[in-house]
Amino acid sequence: MTRLVHTEEVWDTVVSLHLVGPGAEDARDAIVAWVHEVDATLSTFRPESPLARWRRGELELDACPPAVREVLDLAEAARRRTGGAFDPGWAGGRPDPTGLVKGWAADEAVARALACGVEGVQVNAGGDVRTAGSPGEGRPWRLGIEAPGLPGQLLDVVAGAELCLATSGIDRRGAHVYRHGRPARGALSVTVAAPDLARADAYSTAALALGADAPALLDDLDADGFPSLLVRADGEIVASAGWPGLHHGPASRMVGAP
Amino acid sequence: MTDDPGDHHTVTHLARPHRLAVWVLALALCAGLRPLTADALGAEPSRSAAATQLTTRDAAATRCKKRRGHRRPRLTHVDGDIVGTRYGPVQVRVFFCGRRIVNMVALKDPDDLERSRQIDADALPKLRQQVLAAQSARIDGVSGATYTSAAYKQSLQSALDLA
């Protein structure tokens, strides 16, 4: 089975597409168009995007494309679910849902690929990954989780057909997640597995912002079907009870527990 | 390793594009905008301020390689002015590889340094011991902290995309 690989520069990062089987080329074209549509509609870095105009008060929500309300609703739900740790209001003024747009767009990208008839799809939006189907011969997708501060080295590997993994960390862009207006420290990285990438994206961001206070939220999320892998500030790896990784189970929490 | 004084410039001596870049980055950082190019800020925050600068420079050096058919690029750094922000005084050091920005670090931020101490100096060595022994495990993709389009080229994901 041939695999079509395409990389697209968008959202100040690179989106990697791995598409398997008939329909791969159609899927690539559909996804490339989609990610640029998302950029044009939901980028806060583009002053003329409907989201940016709404945030400045120049456009009513009803006049925006439906995607704007959809991501704002998701962002508000994530804020409530994380006790405010995922904070769309971090910049002041009207809410900024940017923290989950990438994951949300990748969710839709995978749906569009499947609609084109592919047998396997991986969408990697700058480190947040969603898969469906198989990369070939019916085997599962295998995704590595990169160790913070150790580029190219893996913390763990997760295998399956339908995977959603979002990682927030302080190493690549620096401390870019803010809590109460200050860069978050206290956790080196948080990976969340979820039924969809939008929430995985939001919850991993929230847990990183909480830093040392993250375990309570992550335990709560685990019980809800959102398992996680946390790298604490002291370098200890802590897997939640339901973490599906092949190399770190919840036993590792015993090691790091005070 | 010490910084070569010859590599150091003050912002007033910069060519215009460099000065502009430092200002834009400093303002972006200080205004609490997403510091999209602040790769190094907090990368190894457990070290002393001096050590942080060295590791930041090392990280910059790894992104500043000689390319075939090109002259060896010069790694330099420039320091922006100290800017008062709502979070206290901040000074930004930006590393250039030729004219390209390869790294950046905030030099002065007392609260930042205080927070940095929350991270154990042994964090990375300890983490290194725990990462998979079988790094050669067959994988199809990588989840990790968000990379910029520039950083993508050095990422494990890019290697998998080319495989």
Side-chain angles (χ1 to χ4, degrees):
Chain A
M1 190 68 68
T2 55
R3 190 192 298 199
L4 186 157
V5 177
H6 178 85
T7 57
E8 189 71 12
E9 219 174 305
V10 66
W11 312 328
D12 195 45
T13 186
V14 172
V15 175
S16 303
L17 310 175
H18 291 221
L19 300 155
V20 182
E25 290 181 358
D26 289 347
R28 174 198 58 203
D29 295 346
I31 293 174
V32 167
W34 164 246
V35 296
H36 289 289
E37 181 188 329
V38 169
D39 190 42
T41 308
L42 298 173
S43 173
T44 50
F45 297 101
R46 295 186 184 281
E48 290 315 306
S49 77
L51 177 64
R53 293 185 62 203
W54 173 78
R55 293 193 71 236
R56 290 197 303 271
E58 296 171 10
L59 201 61
E60 293 296 314
L61 199 49
D62 288 341
C64 294
V68 176
R69 186 188 295 273
E70 193 174 333
V71 294
L72 285 170
D73 287 350
L74 283 170
E76 172 57 17
R79 187 190 66 77
R80 283 198 308 269
R81 181 65 184 84
T82 61
F86 179 82
D87 182 12
W90 69 280
R94 290 188 167 179
D96 177 1
T98 301
L100 55 66
V101 165
K102 204 153 46 80
W104 173 83
D107 285 335
E108 177 64 20
V110 168
R112 292 188 181 203
L114 293 173
C116 291
V118 299
E119 291 168 16
V121 52
Q122 176 196 170
V123 176
N124 190 336
D128 296 340
V129 196
R130 180 162 185 161
T131 66
S134 163
E137 294 100 39
R139 72 174 181 89
W141 291 97
R142 291 170 60 91
L143 301 179
I145 293 147
E146 198 165 25
L150 301 172
Q153 298 208 48
L154 302 182
L155 285 177
D156 207 345
V157 173
V158 174
E162 312 222 341
L163 302 173
C164 292
L165 293 178
T167 300
S168 289
I170 66 163
D171 61 322
R172 286 208 200 257
R173 290 189 179 186
H176 75 290
V177 172
Y178 285 75
R179 184 187 188 194
H180 306 315
R182 293 187 170 283
R185 298 279 164 79
L188 298 182
S189 85
V190 182
T191 302
V192 173
D196 61 86
L197 206 49
R199 284 183 292 177
D201 201 358
Y203 297 166
S204 65
T205 304
L208 189 72
L210 286 171
D213 301 328
L217 173 67
L218 291 175
D219 280 348
D220 191 42
L221 289 172
D222 181 271
D224 240 5
F226 298 86
S228 58
L229 192 70
L230 165 75
V231 180
R232 298 194 321 203
D234 63 2
E236 206 66 63
I237 301 169
V238 184
S240 75
W243 176 247
L246 303 179
H247 297 269
H248 288 283
S252 64
R253 72 194 307 120
M254 310 281 286
V255 178
Chain B
M1 185 174 118
T2 55
D3 288 338
D4 175 3
D7 276 359
H8 183 262
H9 310 274
T10 61
V11 75
T12 49
H13 296 135
L14 286 174
R16 185 167 293 275
H18 280 191
R19 189 184 340 188
L20 188 65
V22 171
W23 266 104
V24 168
L25 289 168
L27 287 174
L29 188 72
C30 299
L33 298 172
R34 278 143 211 277
L36 294 173
T37 48
D39 289 47
L41 181 60
E44 298 205 10
S46 59
R47 313 288 181 80
S48 69
T52 302
Q53 287 167 33
L54 290 184
T55 54
T56 305
R57 186 181 184 83
D58 291 344
T62 63
R63 294 170 202 161
C64 192
K65 298 266 164 58
K66 185 181 184 316
R67 283 186 297 166
R68 190 191 297 269
H70 290 73
R71 286 174 53 198
R72 179 174 294 282
R74 190 152 173 261
L75 182 68
T76 58
H77 69 260
V78 297
D79 295 341
D81 291 339
I82 297 174
V83 185
T85 74
R86 54 196 279 221
Y87 308 127
V90 173
Q91 185 181 23
V92 177
R93 172 170 290 181
V94 181
F95 289 88
F96 290 89
C97 176
R99 299 171 65 86
R100 189 165 57 93
I101 293 169
V102 287
N103 217 343
M104 181 167 90
V105 66
L107 296 177
K108 290 192 174 142
D109 179 352
D111 289 336
D112 207 333
L113 291 175
E114 193 195 336
R115 271 196 313 280
S116 301
R117 294 197 192 97
Q118 297 167 9
I119 296 181
D120 192 320
D122 298 329
L124 285 184
K126 191 189 281 184
L127 189 55
R128 204 171 270 126
Q129 289 168 7
Q130 296 179 85
V131 298
L132 294 186
Q135 292 292 344
S136 57
R138 181 177 178 182
I139 53 169
D140 304 293
V142 183
S143 178
T146 308
Y147 36 79
T148 60
S149 41
Y152 165 80
K153 295 179 185 71
Q154 275 107 48
S155 73
L156 186 53
Q157 181 67 42
S158 78
L160 292 167
D161 292 341
L162 290 170

